[in-house]
Amino acid sequence: MTEIAQDNSPPNASDNPVDVGQGIHTSKQSLADRLFLTLRSEIVEGRISSGSKISEPELARRFDASRSSLREALMRLESLSLIERRVNVGARVVDLTERGLLEIYDVREALEGMACRLAAENRSEEDLVELRQMLERHEQQEELQKGTAYFQPEGDFDFHFRIVQASNNDLLIDTLCNKLYYRVRMYRYQLGMASPRAHRAFREHSHIIDAIEAGDGELAEILMRRHIRASRNNIEKKLSQDD
Amino acid sequence: MTEIAQDNSPPNASDNPVDVGQGIHTSKQSLADRLFLTLRSEIVEGRISSGSKISEPELARRFDASRSSLREALMRLESLSLIERRVNVGARVVDLTERGLLEIYDVREALEGMACRLAAENRSEEDLVELRQMLERHEQQEELQKGTAYFQPEGDFDFHFRIVQASNNDLLIDTLCNKLYYRVRMYRYQLGMASPRAHRAFREHSHIIDAIEAGDGELAEILMRRHIRASRNNIEKKLSQDD
DNA sequence: CCGCCACAGATTGTCGACACTTTTATAGAT
DNA sequence: ATCTATAAAAGTGTCGACAATCTGTGGCGG
């Protein structure tokens, strides 16, 4: 039987805590909640491999929970598109496809572009300070380990996460930070994409924050879209090489 | 006790059936499925009023189902953001706010703009024929009842629905057609927005399809974004008048 | 040898019951 | 009369069990 975590790691990668929806300090969480969080981590990090079948009785035994609670967790996972369920057949972890990854990039380009525009239009002193601080942290990290870019994936994640938060559009925030980004992380973990674009990406981040600071929504959106599209092209090239 | 529908009306408004995700002909549906579909309609159409509390035992009795099945339906509704659930407290239908509506417009502008671009880039002969036929149908309807624009909301819905389908991006299709559009419909039904932009909207639709036909993704995206933003501005103006 | 059908095993969908929490109602004190 | 504290009622979270369905194995016929 596997112990399930009480305090699961939050979705934001940086040190400063950022509230992601559902109010402040919802310390009350049900068993189904905890099962959901635990399973989400296991799937995202590939400890439950993509494409594998999920057996309700087996998982229920493993966590020493009833099938009801487990099923609720599974339904939540389904709504994140981390698993797929078919009536009277069961659940499977989604499998990661090249097409699926590219589709995510297109959606991110659209949504994060808009988020960036909104962040620039509604920019608050608070957000700007945080964004600048984050950029400095990343710069230090980059100085520390030139080229290797080990922490870059999480740093990149952090960047995108914070921009979206600054958009001040709850629907956008929820769609990206609470839903789509888990699948993004799943691809990152399992296709292990250590970006060779580390240096360039950092400069792009910097320019994007400049545009936000200047309140230039149009430019901020264009730059963010380019930034994401560059990543997409990079991935696409790499994937086509492997075949 | 209320009878629950076996064959619930599909989300697309037009005559030609369009498969929305989850494979072809999933005639097998569980009780929870049917409860979900029925409740979704009732919430979207306002028969369960927004903001009202949802009692699990009461609804279970009303549909003569167990709480388990009902709860599964509720969780699905939650993933559509049609209801909100809090631990140990219960579920409430979301309430419709001006801010929420405007947020939806921003997200739609981003996503449908991208969908339109993709539709133009991957345009298939099939999609083009369907889009043209749809436009003709709408034109006839408009001729029939000049200005009144009774069917326009559904026609408009039909238009956006089909463009998204033509994007050929499953994530985009799912996000918009299977998730966000239900909330859009909810706002339409309950804030009853009979667009006074009927004629203009029709011309805009026409130009958008021209751009798609020409394979001009960039223009198609720009036009779609303008189209949605015009709607947004229209709503925003109307809402600020009412105060 | 391949394909079809029946049966057994396992899994999922659904149900009713119980424990714990929140909410409401009641009574008492300031 | 308002507020607080206690008790009753209702509601939610979780559990185990049963019925319906699917999967896989084996045998039969072509």
Side-chain angles (χ1 to χ4, degrees):
Chain A
M1 168 185 146
T2 305
E3 204 66 33
I4 64 178
Q6 286 288 13
D7 179 28
N8 230 291
S9 60
N12 53 323
S14 101
D15 327 49
N16 313 30
V18 174
D19 263 310
V20 182
Q22 50 206 22
I24 34 176
H25 254 284
T26 308
S27 61
K28 309 274 184 191
Q29 53 180 10
S30 65
L31 172 58
D33 277 322
R34 295 195 298 273
L35 288 171
F36 165 68
L37 292 175
T38 302
L39 286 172
R40 189 179 62 184
S41 295
E42 300 213 349
I43 291 175
V44 166
E45 296 168 17
R47 292 171 50 194
I48 300 180
S49 58
S50 53
S52 66
K53 181 157 179 15
I54 287 181
S55 162
E56 291 181 4
E58 181 193 323
L59 274 186
R61 278 196 305 274
R62 184 178 148 206
F63 292 114
D64 194 36
S66 71
R67 273 183 57 222
S68 307
S69 303
L70 183 78
R71 275 167 68 86
E72 175 165 345
L74 291 185
M75 288 188 274
R76 289 247 197 80
L77 293 173
E78 184 185 21
S79 82
L80 292 189
S81 294
L82 292 183
I83 69 174
E84 289 171 342
R85 287 182 29 173
R86 286 192 328 190
V87 181
N88 275 316
V89 172
R92 309 187 77 86
V93 180
V94 294
D95 35 31
L96 306 179
T97 67
E98 175 175 347
R99 176 175 175 179
L101 179 56
L102 295 178
E103 285 189 355
I104 290 179
Y105 270 105
D106 284 340
V107 169
R108 284 185 62 194
E109 180 184 332
L111 288 181
E112 294 192 29
M114 174 62 72
C116 210
R117 168 187 291 266
L118 295 176
E121 290 172 354
N122 311 325
R123 70 196 196 286
S124 75
E125 215 37 68
E126 226 179 311
D127 287 331
L128 283 177
V129 170
E130 282 204 12
L131 286 171
R132 281 288 168 210
Q133 284 178 347
M134 177 191 65
L135 211 57
E136 279 176 28
R137 278 200 310 277
H138 292 177
E139 195 166 17
Q140 287 172 0
Q141 283 189 355
E142 227 212 348
E143 286 300 324
L144 234 64
Q145 47 218 347
K146 283 196 194 297
T148 62
Y150 178 63
F151 280 110
Q152 183 58 25
E154 283 304 320
D156 187 67
F157 203 83
D158 196 12
F159 171 79
H160 290 272
F161 199 92
R162 275 208 150 42
I163 296 268
V164 173
Q165 296 285 336
S167 76
N168 203 33
N169 178 318
D170 287 340
L171 175 57
L172 211 41
I173 294 171
D174 182 60
T175 304
L176 286 171
C177 298
N178 296 152
K179 302 214 162 72
L180 193 57
Y181 280 171
Y182 290 100
R183 258 173 80 196
V184 172
R185 289 168 83 103
M186 188 173 170
Y187 274 101
R188 282 219 178 136
Y189 266 99
Q190 302 196 31
L191 296 194
M193 29 200 63
S195 160
R197 298 181 61 257
H199 290 77
R200 204 188 318 168
F202 178 77
R203 277 206 311 278
E204 288 171 6
H205 288 183
S206 179
H207 289 150
I208 288 171
I209 292 185
D210 287 342
I212 291 177
E213 198 155 21
D216 189 340
E218 192 178 339
L219 179 60
E221 174 168 12
I222 290 175
L223 291 179
M224 177 61 96
R225 287 187 65 163
R226 262 200 216 162
H227 173 61
I228 293 175
R229 180 149 290 268
S231 255
R232 192 201 127 115
N233 289 339
N234 191 42
I235 296 294
E236 199 170 12
K237 199 169 60 184
K238 192 180 291 183
L239 286 176
S240 65
Q241 279 176 354
D242 292 351
D243 298 328
Chain B
M1 168 187 148
T2 306
E3 202 67 34
I4 63 177
Q6 286 290 13
D7 179 28
N8 231 290
S9 60
N12 54 324
S14 98
D15 328 50
N16 313 30
V18 174
D19 264 309
V20 182
Q22 51 208 21
I24 35 174
H25 253 283
T26 309
S27 61
K28 308 276 184 191
Q29 52 180 11
S30 66
L31 172 57
D33 278 323
R34 295 195 298 272
L35 288 171
F36 165 68
L37 293 175
T38 303
L39 287 172
R40 189 179 63 185
S41 295
E42 298 212 352
I43 291 175
V44 166
E45 295 167 16
R47 294 172 49 194
I48 301 180
S49 59
S50 54
S52 65
K53 180 156 177 18
I54 288 181
S55 163
E56 292 181 4
E58 181 192 325
L59 273 187
R61 277 196 304 275
R62 185 177 146 207
F63 292 115
D64 193 35
S66 72
R67 273 182 57 222
S68 308
S69 303
L70 183 79
R71 274 168 69 86
E72 175 165 345
L74 292 185
M75 289 188 269
R76 289 249 202 71
L77 293 172
E78 185 185 20
S79 81
L80 293 188
S81 294
L82 292 183
I83 69 174
E84 289 170 341
R85 288 181 32 176
R86 284 192 329 188
V87 180
N88 275 318
V89 172
R92 309 189 78 85
V93 180
V94 294
D95 35 32
L96 305 179
T97 67
E98 176 174 347
R99 177 175 175 179
L101 180 56
L102 294 178
E103 285 189 353
I104 290 178
Y105 270 105
D106 284 340
V107 170
R108 283 186 62 195
E109 181 184 332
L111 288 180
E112 293 193 29
M114 176 59 75
C116 210
R117 170 187 289 266
L118 295 177
E121 290 172 355
N122 310 325
R123 69 197 197 285
S124 74
E125 214 37 66
E126 227 179 309
D127 287 331
L128 283 176
V129 170
E130 280 203 12
L131 286 171
R132 280 287 168 210
Q133 284 178 349
M134 178 191 65
L135 210 58
E136 279 176 29
R137 279 200 310 275
H138 292 177
E139 193 167 19
Q140 288 172 1
Q141 283 189 356
E142 227 211 350
E143 286 299 323
L144 234 66
Q145 47 217 346
K146 285 195 194 297
T148 61
Y150 177 64
F151 280 110
Q152 184 56 25
E154 284 302 322
D156 186 67
F157 203 84
D158 196 11
F159 172 78
H160 290 271
F161 199 91
R162 275 204 150 45
I163 297 269
V164 174
Q165 296 286 335
S167 76
N168 203 31
N169 178 319
D170 288 339
L171 175 58
L172 210 42
I173 294 171
D174 182 60
T175 303
L176 286 170
C177 299
N178 297 151
K179 304 214 162 73
L180 192 58
Y181 280 171
Y182 290 101
R183 259 173 79 196
V184 172
R185 289 167 82 104
M186 187 173 170
Y187 274 101
R188 283 222 176 131
Y189 266 100
Q190 302 196 32
L191 297 193
M193 28 199 64
S195 161
R197 298 181 61 257
H199 290 77
R200 204 187 318 167
F202 178 77
R203 277 206 311 278
E204 289 172 4
H205 288 183
S206 178
H207 289 149
I208 289 171
I209 293 185
D210 286 344
I212 292 177
E213 199 156 19
D216 190 341
E218 192 180 338
L219 179 61
E221 174 168 14
I222 291 174
L223 291 179
M224 176 60 96
R225 288 187 65 161
R226 261 200 216 161
H227 174 61
I228 293 176
R229 181 147 291 268
S231 255
R232 193 200 127 115
N233 290 338
N234 189 43
I235 296 294
E236 200 169 11
K237 199 170 61 186
K238 192 180 289 181
L239 286 176
S240 65
Q241 279 177 354
D242 292 351
D243 299 328

